[in-house]
Amino acid sequence: MKTVEIDIKQIKVDDGFWNKRIRNAVENVVPYQWRVLNDREPGAAPSHAVKNFKIAAGMEEGEFYGYQFQDSDVAKWIEAASYSLIDEASPAIRAALDEVVGILENAQEADG
């Protein structure tokens, strides 16, 4: 069996059912998740996820808060936000991605 590689940018979904869900993810879900990860969403339980990285990066003072595995929520958001930019160039999502990647770079220790 021959394997064929396809660039993800070559794949276009054009279906009434999926188009609504993709648009909702780009316009609502990804921005909502970003607000939650930054403790900026009224009514949502405090996440502290991004703040933990800022503390690790020396960008803020404080103590680690939350579950030890919640940093994966930030990684999952990065993945979702990145995929959302494939079909729609959202300046707000791009700016948030640039911000969080910068925070992660600063939090990274020399030994990995």
Side-chain angles (χ1 to χ4, degrees):
M1 173 183 249
K2 183 177 179 182
T3 302
V4 177
E5 290 187 27
I6 299 173
D7 185 323
I8 195 164
K9 291 180 181 180
Q10 293 177 288
I11 299 170
K12 300 293 177 203
V13 175
D14 190 13
D15 176 80
F17 176 84
W18 287 112
N19 287 349
K20 288 180 200 174
R21 279 139 187 87
I22 292 168
R23 173 111 4 254
N24 182 52
V26 172
E27 293 177 359
N28 300 302
V29 177
V30 171
Y32 170 82
Q33 290 171 329
W34 181 243
R35 291 191 306 273
V36 169
L37 292 172
N38 284 278
D39 302 322
R40 295 185 205 140
E41 182 60 32
S47 166
H48 219 256
V50 172
K51 185 170 180 127
N52 285 336
F53 281 111
K54 287 180 178 179
I55 292 168
M59 300 167 75
E60 289 191 17
E61 298 284 324
E63 297 283 325
F64 178 84
Y65 172 87
Y67 296 104
Q68 64 189 24
F69 53 79
Q70 76 183 31
D71 57 341
S72 69
D73 291 348
V74 176
K76 291 172 196 169
W77 182 86
I78 290 170
E79 180 180 23
S82 297
Y83 279 125
S84 79
L85 293 176
I86 291 171
D87 289 320
E88 184 166 331
S90 167
I93 292 174
R94 167 63 66 194
L97 272 168
D98 289 344
E99 178 185 345
V100 76
V101 167
I103 293 166
L104 294 176
E105 286 176 334
N106 288 325
Q108 182 68 45
E109 294 185 3
D111 64 358

